[in-house]
Amino acid sequence: MINKMKNLISLDNPVRLWYHKLRAIIANIFFGFPSKDMIIIWVTWTNWKTTTCNIIAKGLKEAWKKVFMFSTVNIIIDDKEYQNDTKMTSPDAFELQRLLKIAKIKWCEIAIIETASHWIKMNRVWWIEYDIAVLTNITQDHLDLHKTMKDYVNTKLQLFKNLIWSRKKSWVKKVGIINKDSNYSELFLDEAYNSLYTYWKSRWCDLVAQNIKDDWIITQFDVDVAWPNIHIETKLKWEFNIQNILAAIGVFISLKIKPEEISKIIKVVDWVPGRMEIVENDEWLNIIVDYAHTEDALEKVLDTIKWFKNIWKIITVFWATWDRDKSKRFNMWKIVSEKSDIVILTQDDDYTEKTENIINDVTPWINRKQWEDFWIISTRKEAIETAIIMAEKWDVILVAWKWDEHVMITNDWPIKWHDKTIIKEIIKNIDNNKIIK
């Protein structure tokens, strides 16, 4: 009954927005305002915020800080890490306050929270006294809620507008950390902060990546700052991860971590699950799982793959999730079609929308010949299996969207699902781990 009533009320209906605001207020009161004694770090985005959150959280742990983190992929409370199986980038207000209360009991001093535009729009951040706001980038997403890019950007901007007015804590400044390479960054730079750090390659940034050297094992670069330059060596690879690291360095500097300490903690931060993650196998195939779920993310991932040495073809397995922001589907198809040799369209989280309907949205624009360089396979496992069987030595298979999630939502019910596990099972089951060509 309640779900039926929710479906009748639009996402941006004032009644629904006030309902979520009221829940946020009650949740704060019920759990005793657990955020008031912590340093609260919001990380907002369109892409890469999960990686940035993990770099910040794991880096701070290496610096002997007790941290809480909530991201799309995982949850960290002090020395414990959990999978996030909620299918939510940002949790319900009561769930977040409950977790913050647990973190406070565990003496966590810093909270890093991945912050979706839905969460800001629906007032679920209400009464959380935050201190540092990080903007990684902005591209089109979530127009099912926001309707226009103007509203989408202004919703995120609200987080930065309100930062300076959030209750001041004597032990931390109100800090903005902004990717100057991002679309709309100039709007965020105009807001008021106690301290502001911009980052990327431009010499006009506060944190500038220079002398970048990248090989298959490690990435090295220098960060030009007002302090002595910080030399970085990291297992995190490719350009977008350099940007994520720079954002994290901005947080570390604002928390007064010394340059030599920053070098050490970045060096030990390992891979973030499901972000350009290579699935190891004995078949000389480069199989990658990634969350790429927007036009911009797909373009950056595929452009990165094209820089790989000794690759023959790129085979991309992907499609869009249910009835969210249908306007981006054509642009996503266009990017994947332009940058992949073979494309396999398949299911993602269906929820209330049929997989076939989601796939059919793009068929009028398909100019590929089916069963040659283009396939429609509505069952995700069969789609991945087809990609592995058709792949040859040195090919790259990109399996997009599901990344490190452990649940997939079908029209009927949620099912257990994990792309990387499924891929390993498929490889194992094909002729005793031998792919016959």
Side-chain angles (χ1 to χ4, degrees), residues 142-208:
H142 300 307
L143 297 193
D144 54 312
L145 169 63
H146 298 284
K147 304 299 188 290
T148 66
M149 280 299 295
K150 182 178 180 180
D151 184 69
Y152 179 51
V153 173
N154 285 337
T155 298
K156 291 186 175 293
L157 187 61
Q158 200 64 40
L159 195 71
F160 290 76
K161 282 181 180 292
N162 294 337
L163 174 62
I164 199 69
W165 302 110
S166 183
R167 184 179 68 92
K168 185 79 164 60
K169 300 164 189 171
S170 60
W171 60 95
V172 63
K173 293 181 178 180
K174 300 298 183 182
V175 181
I177 298 168
I178 296 168
N179 181 358
K180 209 167 184 178
D181 187 51
S182 172
N183 297 328
Y184 308 100
S185 62
E186 66 281 356
L187 297 175
F188 294 81
L189 295 173
D190 285 341
E191 296 305 323
Y193 312 97
N194 295 142
S195 297
L196 172 65
Y197 297 99
T198 59
Y199 66 90
W200 196 211
K201 291 181 179 177
S202 167
R203 64 190 179 94
W204 305 112
C205 293
D206 300 299
L207 304 170
V208 183

Side-chain angles (χ1 to χ4, degrees), residues 304-320:
T304 299
I305 290 172
K306 284 183 177 293
W307 281 98
F308 287 11
K309 295 178 181 179
N310 303 318
I311 69 165
W312 288 6
K313 298 189 302 294
I314 297 175
I315 303 170
T316 301
V317 180
F318 93 114
W319 196 221

Side-chain angles (χ1 to χ4, degrees), residues 222-424:
D222 296 314
V223 183
D224 185 8
V225 289
W227 298 355
N229 281 8
I230 303 171
H231 181 70
I232 298 297
E233 293 185 9
T234 176
K235 300 172 189 175
L236 298 172
K237 298 183 58 56
W238 303 300
E239 186 173 278
F240 53 85
N241 271 325
I242 296 176
Q243 296 191 42
N244 296 332
I245 290 168
L246 288 172
I249 289 173
V251 172
F252 300 151
I253 291 173
S254 69
L255 296 177
K256 299 181 173 59
I257 296 176
K258 295 178 180 179
E260 60 271 19
E261 194 69 21
I262 291 174
S263 294
K264 291 177 184 176
I265 62 182
I266 292 293
K267 190 171 185 177
V268 299
V269 173
D270 212 336
W271 208 252
V272 177
R275 295 302 194 269
M276 282 294 286
E277 186 174 3
I278 296 173
V279 182
E280 294 181 0
N281 63 89
D282 298 324
E283 305 303 327
W284 296 92
L285 297 176
N286 296 300
I287 306 176
I288 295 170
V289 294
D290 191 86
Y291 183 43
H293 68 296
T294 65
E295 174 190 354
D296 179 69
L298 284 164
E299 184 172 25
K300 284 185 167 60
V301 167
L302 288 166
D303 282 346
T304 299
I305 290 172
K306 284 183 177 293
W307 281 98
F308 287 11
K309 295 178 181 179
N310 303 318
I311 69 165
W312 288 6
K313 298 189 302 294
I314 297 175
I315 303 170
T316 301
V317 180
F318 93 114
W319 196 221
T321 189
W322 62 308
D323 39 15
R324 288 185 179 175
D325 194 0
K326 297 181 182 181
S327 64
K328 69 181 184 181
R329 290 180 181 175
F330 167 69
N331 290 334
M332 290 167 58
W333 162 260
K334 186 171 179 288
I335 288 296
V336 171
S337 184
E338 286 176 355
K339 296 180 180 292
S340 306
D341 298 288
I342 297 172
V343 180
I344 302 176
L345 292 183
T346 190
Q347 73 184 129
D348 191 81
D349 293 314
D350 296 327
Y351 287 87
T352 60
E353 193 173 3
K354 296 290 185 185
T355 297
E356 293 78 10
N357 294 343
I358 301 173
I359 291 173
N360 288 340
D361 265 6
V362 81
T363 50
W365 297 288
I366 293 172
N367 56 2
R368 288 171 172 254
K369 191 169 182 180
Q370 194 165 358
W371 315 124
E372 289 188 7
D373 59 357
F374 164 66
W375 299 59
I376 296 176
I377 303 174
S378 58
T379 303
R380 190 173 182 88
K381 183 174 182 179
E382 291 178 7
I384 295 171
E385 188 173 37
T386 301
I388 292 172
I389 290 172
M390 72 169 57
E392 299 178 302
K393 183 178 178 180
W394 303 117
D395 285 351
V396 176
I397 301 171
L398 170 64
V399 182
W401 266 92
K402 291 299 297 176
W403 44 291
D404 200 54
E405 286 187 342
H406 290 256
V407 176
M408 182 160 63
I409 309 298
T410 68
N411 291 150
D412 299 316
W413 47 67
I415 61 172
K416 288 186 177 180
W417 185 272
H418 186 230
D419 271 349
K420 194 166 70 169
T421 301
I422 294 295
I423 290 166
K424 289 182 175 180

